[in-house]
Amino acid sequence: MSEGHHHQHHKENPASEIDYKKEEKHHKHKENLGKLGAVAAGAFALHEKHKAKKDPEHAHSHKIKEEIAATVAVGAGGYAFHEHHKKKEAKKKSQEADGKKHHHFLH
């Protein structure tokens, strides 16, 4: 790059400098988005189920939409569950990095 200076503005974090509190907050945010998606898709599935009863002429279409929305709700719930565990891992690493090692003798 002879035309000018090229600077990279990202910070390289070795494993010892990872901000686990920030990572925990990030996973909590994603967990909440997963929960919101599950609730929204579940509500849409119920809405389509109701429309299928009220609109027998298009009941098949509404039933398909209901089933797709229910599948999306389950997927979003699974994603929220996954992020919940990622959040717990980040919290554990954060506590270990802070020197607060917890011993669990009753597992």
Side-chain angles (χ1 to χ4, degrees), residues 82-100:
H82 166 78
E83 287 299 328
H84 176 74
H85 284 282
K86 293 294 241 176
K87 178 185 74 174
K88 283 174 63 174
E89 285 175 16
K91 184 175 185 176
K92 182 179 176 184
K93 287 178 183 179
S94 174
Q95 289 173 342
E96 288 173 359
D98 291 344
K100 299 176 187 172

Side-chain angles (χ1 to χ4, degrees), residues 3-72:
E3 296 138 15
H5 297 278
H6 181 73
H7 296 284
Q8 290 186 359
H9 295 285
H10 62 52
K11 187 166 71 171
E12 304 220 2
N13 278 342
S16 63
E17 292 184 27
I18 294 175
D19 187 350
Y20 292 112
K21 291 280 187 196
K22 188 174 182 181
E23 188 177 332
E24 181 183 350
K25 186 175 179 182
H26 178 71
H27 287 297
K28 182 177 183 179
H29 177 73
K30 291 169 81 174
E31 176 187 356
N32 287 338
L33 287 176
K35 288 178 183 178
L36 180 64
V39 169
F44 186 75
L46 288 174
H47 170 74
E48 286 298 325
K49 185 175 187 172
H50 177 73
K51 284 182 97 172
K53 289 178 183 176
K54 294 288 181 183
D55 184 12
E57 188 178 337
H58 302 104
H60 183 71
S61 172
H62 292 300
K63 188 70 180 165
I64 290 170
K65 290 176 188 175
E66 174 195 346
E67 290 174 6
I68 291 169
T71 302
V72 170

